[in-house]
Amino acid sequence: MTQKGSMKPVKKSKAEEPELEPLCCCEYIDRNGEKNHVAACLCDCQDLDEGCDRWITCKSVQPETCERIMDTISDRLRIPWLRGAKKVNISIVPPLILLPIFLRVASWHFLLGVVVLTSLPVLALWYYYLTHRRKEQTLFFLSLGLFSLGYMYYVFLQEVVPKGHVGPTQLALLTCGLFLILLALYRAKKNPGYLRNPASNDRSLGSSQIECLNRKGQEKSKGFLGTDTSGSLNNRTLKDDLKGSSRVLAGSPTKVKEDWCAKCQLVRPARAWHCRICGICVRRMDHHCVWINSCVGESNHQAFILALSIFLLTSVYGITLTLDTICRDRSVFTALFYCPGVYANYSSALCFTCVWYSVIITAGMAYIFLIQLINISYNVTEREVQQALRQKTGRRLLCGLIVDTGHLTW
């Protein structure tokens, strides 16, 4: 009898569960929880209709309307995939479309090349400060970097190699350098050293700190249900005691400075910071790098430096091979500024434009690499340098390349 009675509600619950219909490759569940189709991406968009009407009638569009339009576009921009269409981040699309167009337009004439190659860094910096001010994550720079690598390699294979001045060994070295860059970027993209919440794992706390917290918890919460047989505390008591323990440890002879992060609800060790873009604390955080869309911290700092160094070597080598091919009778430095007849042929003009684009990107990466080497030699992080400048405790030396933070951190 009991077995039959126990089986009835199980059958009833299974019958009550709604069966979800499988999605085809072009269907998806939108942000409103409704089933939609990729082909209907331009249908039933009142915000877009309102924005177009106001634009046609020369009326201003409200910022709220623009945000709703961008949210709708980002939700409906999808590609067909198995078991439902996959959402595509809209920030990765502009580099894929605009970069080839800009570079090919810049190859038409010398003046167009000057205008385009000058405007590209300005637009990139404008977009960086726009997203940095909003504290938003973006895949724009990661997409720009990866697509730039791929497109420069494609132009090299299509325009430079067929001219017959690049040998198989040189091409193999350049290809090997490209793959090493991708491997180093993959390693740098991994966990930079995220801090876990000690409330879920007490092993992240030191043994002396746990004993201090347990002793305080037993004195403050006798008979309280938040403590178990091992003497662990509830979340609220843990927060208060971790604050007190950080003050005790800060004044200890070892001078280990720890701080309580209210957002992550954990005790940060020395030199750890909370990234407002990633929304998590990182061990020995250096900075948030938009080129990898991740923080640079304790676990991936070496891979980040390795990726920069390999990129600089590979880029300089590719630039040298290209200039030696399109300007045979001149040195590399001279051909970069004076290469007569390069715009007479569209193929040579495109290669020369890509060379200058690579030079601009390489110069920016070289500056970042130089700052990193200086900070490493002084044993400071970029986050500590910026904090010292904001608090006016640091001094700029050597045209701002070196910042004396006022103390050494060993």
Side-chain angles (χ1 to χ4, degrees):
M1 294 295 292
T2 56
Q3 293 180 353
K4 292 181 179 180
S6 61
M7 292 295 292
K8 288 181 180 179
V10 175
K11 293 181 180 180
K12 186 177 180 180
S13 63
K14 288 184 179 180
E16 291 178 354
E17 291 180 358
E19 295 183 359
L20 298 177
E21 297 181 1
L23 299 175
C24 73
C25 61
C26 296
E27 293 180 337
Y28 64 94
I29 304 299
D30 59 12
R31 58 178 180 173
N32 298 324
E34 300 176 356
K35 183 184 290 187
N36 209 331
H37 199 275
V38 174
C41 60
L42 298 178
C43 301
D44 299 329
C45 185
Q46 298 179 358
D47 296 325
L48 183 59
D49 295 338
E50 179 185 355
C52 292
D53 292 339
R54 297 183 68 88
W55 179 72
I56 293 174
T57 57
C58 298
K59 295 181 181 179
S60 61
V61 182
Q62 299 296 328
E64 296 80 7
T65 304
C66 295
E67 292 181 1
R68 290 195 299 267
I69 292 175
M70 293 304 298
D71 292 340
T72 303
I73 293 176
S74 62
D75 183 58
R76 296 186 180 185
L77 185 62
R78 296 173 182 263
I79 57 174
W81 202 258
L82 299 177
R83 298 181 181 179
K86 294 294 184 180
K87 187 176 180 180
V88 178
N89 196 315
I90 194 173
S91 61
I92 69 175
V93 177
L96 306 181
I97 300 175
L98 298 179
L99 183 62
I101 295 176
F102 283 164
L103 291 180
R104 291 190 176 273
V105 169
S107 304
W108 291 348
H109 195 270
F110 172 75
L111 294 179
L112 283 175
V114 173
V115 173
V116 172
L117 293 176
T118 305
S119 61
L120 282 178
V122 174
L123 292 175
L125 288 175
W126 171 79
Y127 186 78
Y128 168 74
Y129 285 112
L130 180 64
T131 55
H132 186 73
R133 185 174 66 250
R134 294 181 179 179
K135 301 296 185 294
E136 297 177 354
Q137 281 191 331
T138 177
L139 294 175
F140 175 84
F141 294 96
L142 179 61
S143 173
L144 178 61
L146 294 178
F147 185 69
S148 296
L149 286 174
Y151 189 71
M152 294 301 105
Y153 187 71
Y154 168 78
V155 172
F156 186 83
L157 293 179
Q158 293 293 323
E159 306 294 341
V160 179
V161 175
K163 296 182 184 299
H165 299 293
V166 177
T169 304
Q170 296 170 327
L171 180 60
L173 286 176
L174 189 66
T175 306
C176 182
L178 180 63
F179 278 105
L180 289 178
I181 292 173
L182 296 178
L183 289 176
L185 285 176
Y186 174 76
R187 179 62 183 87
K189 192 74 174 61
K190 284 188 175 181
N191 187 351
Y194 295 129
L195 288 172
R196 294 177 295 177
N197 194 329
S200 59
N201 187 7
D202 292 336
R203 288 179 297 180
S204 60
L205 300 175
S207 58
S208 61
Q209 190 173 356
I210 293 177
E211 293 176 1
C212 178
L213 294 179
N214 290 339
R215 185 165 57 252
K216 290 184 179 181
Q218 292 175 0
E219 294 175 359
K220 291 183 179 180
S221 56
K222 289 183 178 180
F224 188 65
L225 296 178
T227 58
D228 55 7
T229 56
S230 62
S232 61
L233 307 178
N234 61 351
N235 291 336
R236 187 173 182 179
T237 308
L238 181 61
K239 297 175 188 177
D240 298 334
D241 290 338
L242 285 175
K243 291 180 181 179
S245 64
S246 64
R247 300 190 193 100
V248 173
L249 290 175
S252 61
T254 57
K255 296 181 180 180
V256 179
K257 297 180 180 180
E258 296 187 348
D259 189 22
W260 170 258
C261 180
K263 295 182 179 180
C264 296
Q265 302 295 303
L266 51 79
V267 177
R268 295 181 302 196
R271 311 184 77 177
W273 297 95
H274 181 87
C275 179
R276 292 176 293 178
I277 300 178
C278 296
I280 193 170
C281 289
V282 181
R283 293 182 182 273
R284 201 181 184 277
M285 176 181 171
D286 189 83
H287 68 286
H288 181 89
C289 182
V290 295
W291 294 104
I292 62 174
N293 192 33
S294 178
C295 288
V296 177
E298 185 179 62
S299 300
N300 65 341
H301 201 174
Q302 294 181 354
F304 178 73
I305 298 297
L306 180 63
L308 283 177
S309 59
I310 297 176
F311 170 79
L312 293 176
L313 293 175
T314 305
S315 179
V316 171
Y317 186 64
I319 291 171
T320 303
L321 292 178
T322 305
L323 290 178
D324 285 340
T325 301
I326 61 178
C327 297
R328 295 289 298 172
D329 299 331
R330 300 182 183 276
S331 63
V332 174
F333 185 78
T334 304
L336 187 62
F337 294 95
Y338 181 69
C339 187
V342 70
Y343 283 93
N345 184 7
Y346 181 77
S347 175
S348 300
L350 179 61
C351 295
F352 190 72
T353 303
C354 291
V355 163
W356 263 106
Y357 175 75
S358 301
V359 168
I360 294 173
I361 299 297
T362 304
M365 295 298 119
Y367 175 77
I368 297 176
F369 184 68
L370 178 61
I371 294 299
Q372 289 291 312
L373 292 182
I374 293 175
N375 290 342
I376 292 173
S377 63
Y378 280 82
N379 196 21
V380 294
T381 62
E382 185 63 23
R383 180 65 176 80
E384 294 169 348
V385 169
Q386 297 300 326
Q387 186 186 28
L389 293 177
R390 283 196 297 267
Q391 296 178 355
K392 297 181 179 180
T393 59
R395 296 183 302 109
R396 290 186 179 272
L397 305 174
L398 197 60
C399 300
L401 291 177
I402 301 175
V403 177
D404 183 10
T405 57
H407 65 279
L408 293 176
T409 306
W410 301 103

